[in-house]
Amino acid sequence: LMERYLEEVPWDETARLAYTRLLSMVHEWGKAVACYSRLVESRIAAGDAGGACDVYTEARRSNHAFVLSAAHQTRIAFWLEKRGDYAEAATAYLDLARFHSSTSDVDHAMARAATLTVTRMGDVETGAEILEDALRNHPDSPWRPFMEREMRRLAALRAG
């Protein structure tokens, strides 16, 4: 019944979100992910950064394999960072690298994740691990000089 309603009234995002939550609760992951994706994409298209980030964060907490297109993932990560949700932003950047490893922004996403992890969350060890992974997997990255500088800075911080 709800699916029919949403087909006839696709702009009712409140109903779609309620339906999506129900799907998630009854472990209909495929349908829930599709609905979450549609909600996030429509909020991105509307320029609703807060709404898109809220739905994305809820989707990620419901299903850790929630995947958007590389362009949408990048936008969400940026918006999360901009609103000060640094842990979620770092996760979104890492998901970009994990799910879209062939995109040209992977090394930049990993550098952003590492920077946020160190500077905003104070986790030097995890930040260093992210940078090491980025350097190992993207040796020809234009971000390599930055990442190497950061590694030296983190090594000095660890040495104390």
Side-chain angles (χ1 to χ4, degrees), residues 7 12 21 24 26-27 39 48 50-51 61 64 66 68 75 82 98 116 126 129 139 144 160:
E7 285 175 16
D12 188 346
R21 289 174 176 151
S24 187
V26 297
H27 305 286
L39 284 163
D48 178 8
R61 289 182 179 149
H64 295 287
F66 182 68
L68 295 171
R75 175 136 340 143
K82 190 174 175 181
R98 183 171 81 166
L116 290 172
T126 302
E129 288 172 12
R144 186 173 191 85

Side-chain angles (χ1 to χ4, degrees), residues 16-27:
R16 183 170 305 282
L17 185 55
Y19 177 62
T20 303
R21 289 174 176 151
L22 176 66
L23 290 170
S24 187
M25 286 189 321
V26 297
H27 305 286

Side-chain angles (χ1 to χ4, degrees), residues 25-159:
M25 286 189 321
V26 297
H27 305 286
E28 288 283 342
W29 302 121
K31 288 181 180 179
V33 166
C35 287
Y36 274 127
S37 293
R38 184 172 175 173
L39 284 163
V40 171
E41 290 167 2
S42 74
R43 292 188 180 177
I44 288 172
D48 178 8
C53 289
D54 290 344
V55 173
Y56 173 82
T57 301
E58 181 179 320
R60 278 262 315 125
R61 289 182 179 149
S62 296
N63 184 341
H64 295 287
F66 182 68
V67 182
L68 295 171
S69 69
H72 286 158
Q73 189 74 30
T74 302
R75 175 136 340 143
I76 287 290
F78 172 76
W79 281 346
L80 286 164
E81 180 178 355
K82 190 174 175 181
R83 80 177 194 175
D85 198 347
Y86 302 119
E88 286 293 334
T91 299
Y93 283 123
L94 290 173
D95 280 352
L96 176 65
R98 183 171 81 166
F99 296 123
H100 301 286
S101 60
S102 63
T103 62
S104 61
D105 290 336
V106 168
D107 47 354
H108 176 250
M110 293 182 79
R112 287 302 313 142
T115 300
L116 290 172
T117 301
V118 172
T119 63
R120 300 299 185 170
M121 297 182 292
D123 188 346
V124 174
E125 293 302 319
T126 302
E129 288 172 12
I130 294 168
L131 287 174
E132 287 168 1
D133 189 42
L135 287 167
R136 182 176 44 259
N137 293 317
H138 306 281
D140 299 325
S141 168
W143 288 91
R144 186 173 191 85
F146 168 80
M147 290 188 280
E148 288 174 339
R149 256 190 332 272
E150 279 299 292
M151 286 298 294
R152 286 190 297 275
R153 188 176 74 81
L154 296 180
L157 282 174
R158 284 192 245 172

